[in-house]
Amino acid sequence: MSPPPETRLDTARIRAARRVIDPVFLDSPQYRCEALEADLGCAVTVKLETANPVRSFKGRGTELVAALLDENGPRAAVCASAGNLGQALAWSGRARGLDVTVVASRFAPAAKLDRIRALDARLELVDGDFDTARERAAAIARHDGVRLVEDSLDIETCEGAATIGLELVEAAPPFDAVLIALGGGAMATGVGHVLRTLAPGVEVICVQPAGAPAMTRSWHRRRVVTTESTDTIADGVAGRRPIPDVLDDLLLVADDAVLVEEASIVAGMRGLFEHAGLVVEPSAALGVAAILEDRDRYADRHVVTIVCGGNVDLDAHRRWVGATPGHGP
């Protein structure tokens, strides 16, 4: 076994995290999805991170954050969110009696915003994108003296997500590559760290929309590259300003970072719906999109794709996947 990469993450802490995270977020379904395989030309294992109360993998990390706040304080937290982190922090905070504020773009999907409100969090909407919300959340934390939860920068969010990697290594049959949606980097660095440590022969491939390429460009250039804007339906991974510490970790654990087009993301969502019966948000279809765009790379290999979230506006989902190609709307 290879020595662990010198990231900020620690494998022993990741193993211990499973004793802290509510079991409802652990041991998510993972299975060979043969119905997808004929279309994609490779063996595909789906790791389904939507079968939990917040319908995304984010609860694994917020459970660790909330447990620390419950034990050591302060008993209030604020985060910026495209929707999924906010739901997860609201859920974990409510379970422990914490005061949670979520800052989000007013253009975030209504379904995600409604769920944050339903989980008793205070929701503040800002004009602008996720990075604008991140600036506002930091200002609230400074003014009110509460904990600022920063996804991917806070090691708990990465090590919580890393428990997905432990489950893959322990339960899945041998596989050749894992495709991971890349946004801020918590899931990519977390799962990547575990695979580098425990299954170093597995290729770790990060996938990002071409309309939100900042972290992928940064990975290839080995330095932080920012963008002025984003243009993608995959709102959950649409950041403009990578975090340097997270990029440093990603450079150690990822074998590749690729960009996919919007049409491929939609095709991936359609494939997961038609062949696997899964209603997913665009970010969750990035792995399938990557296979669709580069079939030769994955041909005759066993690939894991992490279906990372299912919080999608149903009207938008119908617009994206309801039309069969060549048959109109």
Side-chain angles (χ1 to χ4, degrees):
M1 186 178 297
S2 300
E6 294 296 325
T7 67
R8 297 176 300 141
L9 289 78
D10 179 81
T11 305
R13 288 200 308 261
I14 295 166
R15 293 187 188 279
R18 292 198 286 192
R19 298 193 295 270
V20 178
I21 298 169
D22 189 308
V24 75
F25 295 109
L26 297 174
D27 301 312
S28 56
Q30 55 193 58
Y31 53 91
R32 280 280 299 274
C33 189
E34 294 184 18
L36 272 175
E37 294 178 355
D39 189 43
L40 297 179
C42 61
V44 179
T45 286
V46 169
K47 180 64 167 168
L48 189 61
E49 289 295 309
T50 65
N52 61 60
V54 299
R55 295 189 289 189
S56 84
F57 77 96
K58 298 287 189 180
R60 294 176 183 255
T62 59
E63 280 292 279
L64 298 183
V65 172
L68 286 174
L69 292 177
D70 189 31
E71 182 176 347
N72 300 316
R75 298 193 59 80
V78 60
C79 73
S81 176
N84 286 349
L85 178 72
Q87 288 182 67
L89 186 61
W91 193 93
S92 297
R94 186 179 67 173
R96 295 166 176 84
L98 306 179
D99 182 23
V100 172
T101 299
V102 178
V103 184
S105 168
R106 67 178 68 256
F107 306 110
K112 294 183 179 183
L113 301 180
D114 289 344
R115 283 301 299 156
I116 292 169
R117 294 187 184 99
L119 290 165
D120 299 332
R122 183 181 300 106
L123 179 63
E124 179 174 325
L125 300 180
V126 298
D127 293 315
D129 60 9
F130 170 76
D131 287 291
T132 305
R134 195 161 77 179
E135 292 170 1
R136 174 57 184 158
I140 291 172
R142 289 192 300 268
H143 183 271
D144 296 347
V146 302
R147 166 71 183 269
L148 175 63
V149 178
E150 292 196 81
D151 197 23
S152 304
L153 179 59
D154 286 2
I155 199 64
E156 297 89 358
T157 63
C158 302
E159 292 183 341
T163 58
I164 297 170
L166 291 180
E167 293 168 17
L168 286 173
V169 170
E170 293 169 359
F175 52 92
D176 303 303
V178 60
L179 294 162
I180 310 172
L182 178 61
M187 182 166 61
T189 58
V191 175
H193 174 93
V194 170
L195 293 176
R196 271 286 175 271
T197 304
L198 302 179
V202 174
E203 191 176 18
V204 176
I205 304 168
C206 304
V207 189
Q208 196 165 43
M215 185 62 99
T216 295
R217 290 180 180 175
S218 299
W219 186 87
H220 283 281
R221 298 181 190 179
R222 304 189 69 83
R223 61 177 177 82
V224 170
V225 176
T226 62
T227 60
E228 290 298 318
S229 62
T230 61
D231 184 15
T232 178
I233 61 173
D235 59 284
V237 293
R240 295 183 287 112
R241 303 172 189 166
I243 298 170
D245 288 350
V246 182
L247 175 61
D248 289 345
D249 290 340
L250 192 68
L251 288 169
L252 292 172
V253 302
D255 292 294
D256 201 1
V258 301
L259 299 174
V260 294
E261 299 298 328
E262 297 294 290
S264 300
I265 299 172
V266 171
M269 294 174 68
R270 183 181 295 120
L272 286 164
F273 180 66
E274 293 181 349
H275 299 304
L278 298 175
V279 176
V280 305
E281 61 190 81
S283 301
L286 288 171
V288 175
I291 301 172
L292 289 171
E293 289 200 2
D294 197 356
R295 294 174 187 271
D296 289 346
R297 178 174 186 170
Y298 304 102
D300 301 319
R301 302 177 76 192
H302 185 172
V303 180
V304 173
T305 183
I306 301 174
V307 178
C308 56
N311 289 298
V312 61
D313 180 87
L314 290 181
D315 288 337
H317 188 272
R318 291 187 191 101
R319 289 197 304 273
W320 292 326
V321 310
T324 302
H327 291 74

